[in-house]
Amino acid sequence: MSDLKSAGPVNAAVIEDLVAASRILAQHGVLDAWGHVSLRHPANSERYLMSRARAPALIVAADIMEFDLNSDPVDQRDRRMFLERYIHGEIFRARPDVNAVVHSHSPTVIPFSVTDEPLKAISHVASFLAGGCPCFEISDVGLTVGLLVTNQKAGAALAKVLGDRPVALMRGHGNAVVGSDIQQVVHRALYTEINAQQLATALSFRRPIRYVLPAEAQAPKRLNDCWEVWKAQAMGAA
Amino acid sequence: MSDLKSAGPVNAAVIEDLVAASRILAQHGVLDAWGHVSLRHPANSERYLMSRARAPALIVAADIMEFDLNSDPVDQRDRRMFLERYIHGEIFRARPDVNAVVHSHSPTVIPFSVTDEPLKAISHVASFLAGGCPCFEISDVGLTVGLLVTNQKAGAALAKVLGDRPVALMRGHGNAVVGSDIQQVVHRALYTEINAQQLATALSFRRPIRYVLPAEAQAPKRLNDCWEVWKAQAMGAA
Amino acid sequence: MSDLKSAGPVNAAVIEDLVAASRILAQHGVLDAWGHVSLRHPANSERYLMSRARAPALIVAADIMEFDLNSDPVDQRDRRMFLERYIHGEIFRARPDVNAVVHSHSPTVIPFSVTDEPLKAISHVASFLAGGCPCFEISDVGLTVGLLVTNQKAGAALAKVLGDRPVALMRGHGNAVVGSDIQQVVHRALYTEINAQQLATALSFRRPIRYVLPAEAQAPKRLNDCWEVWKAQAMGAA
Amino acid sequence: MSDLKSAGPVNAAVIEDLVAASRILAQHGVLDAWGHVSLRHPANSERYLMSRARAPALIVAADIMEFDLNSDPVDQRDRRMFLERYIHGEIFRARPDVNAVVHSHSPTVIPFSVTDEPLKAISHVASFLAGGCPCFEISDVGLTVGLLVTNQKAGAALAKVLGDRPVALMRGHGNAVVGSDIQQVVHRALYTEINAQQLATALSFRRPIRYVLPAEAQAPKRLNDCWEVWKAQAMGAA
């Protein structure tokens, strides 16, 4: 591990958005005192960037570390690492189309993860969920630290369950969300939670539900507008 | 399009209230990072005013643009426009009594939009909903950008479903709310959401519900009191 | 009306607590942009004190007016008055033990007001509700301004339904809460809402509920501790 | 009582964390204007530390008092004490493994306390609840001040119901949560509430629930990360 060389410095604006992603998702209650956001290294697809182990609401640029796809650190120094970084490394390995990953304890996603009630899109803004969410059952792979994904084997099994989807539920734990960039993964992580809340309300009516059909789904093309406000609010500028 | 002439400058206090409307509805969670509020031009009923494409919580007076009822801009310059401005143009065309329109992803309205559970008033403050809300099904008109209303045809179909009502649900998307002025449309957009929350709770009791009867409905006559506090809080003065 | 004489000046600390009551209940979401808190005049039991018509979150000491039990103002000047002040006047007339009244659109109380699901205490802190809440049906008296209580007749009918209880629901509207002093009425208004929220959750389990028995009820003896924190937070001191 | 001698001064950082615990749990809505956190005296296992009677959000270091296991104060002076301090004294007496206790009106725990719906873990972060929560029925011991635990007998009965578990529900009242240190008891009190919220949602789906199995449970090993952010936010440093 110790002889890993960095894939090189990363543009400060890119790091700033990675930091903002954690702050935004913490501010919106998707990330609690745990959870993490990662970004594939812009200059080397075999590397990714993620904070040292720290609560998402407090992360600053200096906390960002570099990892290879085995989730070994490039330059650990005395920094503690997230136990569950294998979620990120194995998804980046399995999904070349993915450049950003969120793992969260998204509060209203957890109820869906422990029942067989499907989590599917009921609104346009969450239409990336029109195809539904597979659910990862960690006991199929073997427990290590309770239900946590703490090694490559468990991470790879999660990536396999995720397949080509945007979101996988993790039973009794939370979810893993992927995107082509930081803005998309933040949008998806946030609206997975919001759609779960809205669907729980719709289900309480005990009437047939009209889910968004896959043919009706279309991801927002421009996320700059929402990113502008989310980032401003999370970074204290609004 | 390019030879449209402005209907003239608008009083700064009027623009300020239009801006405040977006901020208020964002602060109360009715508008998320999208959605929009419009006002018919005080000097020309064939024109309306609406922000350039921007998150409602961040809108300032300089963002307000002028449109004709075809939803073509008077002076676009380099400003991006809301894709769904046709909601506003077509409602202003169809409803001479309407001077203000809100389109939102009102979170608790969406569950009602995807089931046949009626959204009707259960409290005096929302008694404008005593007659119920029609629901617009966009697939009856044809999808363009997913479930979004992105052209005149779809906007006109929505206006037709709205009819002479104050609120139309939009399936899997949100709602369109109209009023005779900015204060009324903000009150209606806010209490449509609040009534939806309260009705969801009432429905969970699984007992017969006593809705507000149309004969019992009466809109608040003076909205100055609520406007004072909503605006002060949204604009940072309280 | 115009020759009413004031019952005399009121201690500034008393007025401050009356103002704080509105601010506290607004901050906790019990009062929205409407609703009101009143206090029987310390020097004359035939008079009460209440704000001019204004959103509760914005009320200051200078807004407080004096009324007789007919709800006529002592010194109106150019101040607009709450249309529903008769709720207060008639309850003060009917209930000599009551020195403070709150009328609110308490959000989770409204669902109980439109069904026959009983609102009763499930926690010690709300044990004043152990005997249940009667519900006022305004159409038994006659509508005036929708469901609002806008005259002495309707106010007296509400007071009669309230009887000797601490809280009456008002169908499709909210509630009226009474207490022996400002601290007690604020505590009761707040915990009526909180108990309603908790009871709605308990009901959703569809299992028998163990309500607090009247024999188990005991009001908190000292409210100074909660008053200290509520007031500090609402008045900006904490 | 009056001749009790102090077990000695306590490190300021220890007191600071005890104060922070109240503030954190108030900020997250677990503690309302009542409730309390205690810590076994680091130098004498027969003593514990707890605030004088005051709302948790306002507590400062100077409010902390020392008590023996009979819940008699070491140096009362003119300070009012929590009526329910016997919860703490009797649990410390019965549970040598416990060094910190929280008593709260945890809002979503109360619905579980008044029905026989089991409160068990559905997520890893709350896996300390995998074994379920016993429920203390105070009328089995005898009412004194309503449902409050106001003497040693009631406190001892509660401690007996708690047994060797981390959390006991208190019917119609709240809960008692224990831990080996302040960080653990705060984590447990917070995630008991969050798990209750999530379980209520899961139950609303009316489908079989996959609870966390005892064999899958594993408490977070390092709570420093969450403590860092909770304390910073509650103490105003973030």
Side-chain angles (χ1 to χ4, degrees), chain B residues 36-150:
Chain B
H36 10 88
V37 184
S38 66
L39 178 70
R40 197 188 290 270
H41 196 293
N44 183 339
S45 65
E46 304 286 311
R47 296 288 170 81
Y48 67 93
L49 305 163
M50 189 164 69
S51 171
R52 67 177 173 99
R54 196 174 194 198
L58 299 181
I59 288 172
V60 296
D63 293 323
I64 304 298
M65 297 175 64
E66 182 181 338
F67 298 90
D68 68 11
L69 297 191
N70 293 330
S71 297
D72 289 327
V74 167
D75 174 28
Q76 184 178 356
R77 286 174 272 162
D78 60 345
R79 295 178 286 186
R80 281 196 305 102
M81 302 177 289
F82 285 121
L83 282 180
E84 296 198 285
R85 61 193 182 278
Y86 303 95
I87 294 170
H88 302 258
E90 298 307 317
I91 289 175
F92 284 125
R93 193 194 306 275
R95 288 281 297 269
D97 61 311
V98 162
N99 292 308
V101 177
V102 170
H103 166 59
S104 83
H105 303 154
S106 195
T108 318
V109 167
I110 287 175
F112 286 92
S113 83
V114 297
T115 67
D116 61 0
E117 183 65 53
L119 177 52
K120 296 194 296 183
I122 61 165
S123 99
H124 171 80
V125 194
S127 68
F128 58 89
L129 295 175
C133 300
C135 187
F136 174 62
E137 173 50 67
I138 197 165
S139 64
D140 292 345
V141 192
L143 304 175
T144 55
V145 182
L147 303 177
L148 302 186
V149 172
T150 56

Side-chain angles (χ1 to χ4, degrees), chain A residues 189-205:
Chain A
L190 177 54
Y191 277 88
T192 298
E193 172 63 23
I194 291 174
N195 190 80
Q197 293 169 3
Q198 293 174 340
L199 180 52
T201 300
L203 288 165
S204 77
F205 301 161

